[in-house]
Amino acid sequence: MNPRRKKRLLAVTAIVFGVGATIGLVLYALQENINLFYTPSELVEGKGPNKEKPHIGQKLRIGGMVVPGSVIRDESSLQVSFKLIDTGPLVTIKYQGILPDLFREGQGIVAQGVLVEANVIEAFEVLAKHDEEYMPAEVAEAVKGIKHEKPKYNLESGN
Amino acid sequence: MWKWLHPYAKADRAYQLCNTLLPYFAVITVVCMLVGWVWGLAYAPADYQQKDSYRIIFIHVPSAILSMGAYSSMAIAAVIALVWQLRNAELAVIAIAPVGACVTAIALITGAAWGKPMWGAWWVWDARLTSELILLFLYLGVLSLYHAFEDKKAAGRAASILAIVGVINLPIIHFSVEWWNTLHQGATITKFDTKAIDSSMFWPLMVNIVAFAGFVGTVTLMRLKNEILQREKHRPWVRQLLNRG
């Protein structure tokens, strides 16, 4: 390669590495903030090296799996409450509104809302998260032993 | 290899090469797109969870993959344009950019249409969606930078530099779903360890990816031909070509 081209190639490589390093450092510094949501254990035990806990009244997003059997619907309104889990503690979500189609017990969801108690969130938006696996129903039944139907919810009358 | 490649630095030879390649790309595109869409949209089984709504995957995933693929090709052309200063490479950068922008827009729009029924939201500012949006802006940036200069030589250089700098976004898009908590699910096709997608859905998806690659190739070649002709319009070989046809 002739020296002029070599010089240009070096310059181009230097630019890419320089910008790459800059953006890498920025992303590293922002690491905690780019996450879309807290997990239930991060919410309860604190997040990051300083174990920072969100304060009551803070607006936040939380993501986790809906604990099977924890969904309680109010018979006369759209009020629903359920518990979320990831690895340890449970967090209760209260929500009034229509849940997305994919909302099921055992399904991953992301809720946005206000922290009202240390482990209770009053949500104003519930989004369903789905996994990266796609298969026909028969295969899912054979492989996972699950049959997908809309689950029956525990109904609690009144309140 | 250099000996074999060198003639294509000349505009007229590159133009001829485009002409030879074009029919192959066009045929691959038409055949794969017909097969892929009919297979994917009509014959592939419905998903166990998302039922028929998942079928948008046959458009969303190919366009998302190609949005990144087109960007890599554009960046490679940009490196060649800057280091070897081949004008054809510069023209290739500018030929790919709008095609890539379109494919990125398709990925974003189909993604939103998929997100609404499944997640419950058209748009969420999570890392995957945001970085893909930045990709669209990079394409648009390359395009507008090129058209902002009167002197096309300077324009090509500026656009190439931006194209190269933007490469840093590609690994961010790909790994965003692993590095951060996102609403967007993880990678399906590159998750080789387990069977993440049933083969009855995998193969039509592959055909569709080939179809989109063919489509991007076809349109890029057509645009490249156009760019070459415009840039060389005062040259004798273009005059000859025009007189003949």
Side-chain angles (χ1 to χ4, degrees), chain A residues 1 4-5 8-9 12 15-16 19-20 23 27 31 34-37 39 42 61 100-102 104 107 110 125-137 139-140 144 146 148, chain B residues 45-50 54 57 79 82-85 114 117-121 124-127 161 164-165 168 172 179-188 191 196-198 200-201:
Chain A
M1 211 186 276
R4 278 181 56 212
R5 281 176 195 159
R8 288 197 292 256
L9 185 62
V12 167
I15 292 176
V16 170
V19 175
I23 293 181
L27 289 178
Q31 210 168 23
I34 293 174
N35 287 325
L36 184 68
F37 50 78
T39 62
E42 279 170 352
R61 282 207 188 88
D101 263 11
L102 274 186
R104 296 187 176 98
Q107 179 80 37
V110 175
E125 182 185 45
V126 173
L127 302 175
K129 189 170 155 56
H130 64 79
D131 60 16
E132 63 276 23
E133 298 189 358
Y134 305 92
M135 55 187 87
V139 178
K144 300 184 155 183
I146 39 174
H148 260 277
Chain B
D47 180 55
Y48 74 112
Q49 252 192 343
Q50 306 186 30
Y54 94 100
I57 198 177
V79 170
L82 281 181
V83 177
W84 284 273
Q85 302 204 318
W114 194 2
M118 285 307 132
W119 298 341
V124 180
W125 290 102
D126 87 344
I161 290 175
I164 292 170
V165 167
I168 213 68
I172 296 178
W179 291 343
W180 302 296
N181 294 333
T182 55
L183 186 62
H184 195 286
Q185 70 281 8
T188 298
K191 188 179 158 194
I197 178 162
D198 194 72
S200 57
M201 300 162 174

Side-chain angles (χ1 to χ4, degrees), chain B residues 75-163:
Chain B
I76 292 169
V79 170
I80 295 172
L82 281 181
V83 177
W84 284 273
Q85 302 204 318
L86 297 182
R87 198 165 45 180
N88 288 340
E90 236 165 63
L91 296 178
V93 170
I94 216 59
I96 298 175
V99 188
C102 280
V103 184
T104 314
I106 294 175
L108 287 168
I109 293 166
T110 52
W114 194 2
K116 184 63 188 168
M118 285 307 132
W119 298 341
W122 295 103
W123 185 263
V124 180
W125 290 102
D126 87 344
R128 170 59 74 80
L129 278 65
T130 311
S131 53
E132 183 77 11
L133 185 66
I134 291 173
L135 187 70
L136 178 64
F137 292 155
L138 278 170
Y139 276 122
L140 298 180
V142 168
L143 263 178
S144 33
L145 201 52
Y146 183 79
H147 291 295
F149 287 85
E150 203 59 52
D151 171 20
K152 285 304 161 203
K153 225 176 162 183
R157 206 176 308 140
S160 299
I161 290 175
L162 180 60

Side-chain angles (χ1 to χ4, degrees), chain A:
Chain A
M1 211 186 276
N2 83 30
R4 278 181 56 212
R5 281 176 195 159
K6 207 169 197 170
K7 213 170 130 194
R8 288 197 292 256
L9 185 62
L10 274 177
V12 167
T13 330
I15 292 176
V16 170
F17 272 93
V19 175
T22 317
I23 293 181
L25 287 172
V26 169
L27 289 178
Y28 183 75
L30 291 174
Q31 210 168 23
E32 294 299 313
N33 298 323
I34 293 174
N35 287 325
L36 184 68
F37 50 78
Y38 284 87
T39 62
S41 25
E42 279 170 352
L43 187 78
V44 173
E45 287 157 9
K47 173 172 173 176
N50 305 328
K51 295 280 162 213
E52 257 176 79
K53 285 184 202 176
H55 54 264
I56 308 281
Q58 187 178 329
K59 212 173 111 179
L60 49 78
R61 282 207 188 88
I62 182 155
M65 197 187 83
V66 181
V67 180
S70 71
V71 182
I72 301 167
R73 272 181 200 258
D74 185 43
E75 250 183 0
S76 52
S77 70
L78 286 172
Q79 186 70 40
V80 58
S81 95
F82 51 89
K83 291 190 167 59
L84 282 187
I85 191 168
D86 59 330
T87 49
L90 294 175
V91 170
T92 307
I93 312 286
K94 290 180 176 161
Y95 178 64
Q96 179 146 25
I98 298 165
L99 293 165
D101 263 11
L102 274 186
F103 181 91
R104 296 187 176 98
E105 295 180 345
Q107 179 80 37
I109 66 118
V110 175
Q112 191 177 7
V114 179
L115 193 68
V116 287
E117 280 170 48
N119 60 351
V120 179
I121 288 171
E122 192 85 56
F124 53 82
E125 182 185 45
V126 173
L127 302 175
K129 189 170 155 56
H130 64 79
D131 60 16
E132 63 276 23
E133 298 189 358
Y134 305 92
M135 55 187 87
E138 310 86 67
V139 178
E141 218 177 304
V143 176
K144 300 184 155 183
I146 39 174
K147 202 164 181 174
H148 260 277
E149 291 163 357
K150 265 278 187 197
K152 293 166 191 74
Y153 298 106
N154 311 324
L155 288 172
E156 212 181 52
S157 54
N159 56 65

Side-chain angles (χ1 to χ4, degrees), chain B residues 34 45 59 78 149 154 178 185 190 206 217:
Chain B
L34 279 176
I59 295 170
F149 287 85
E178 287 173 29
Q185 70 281 8
T190 49
M206 281 299 133

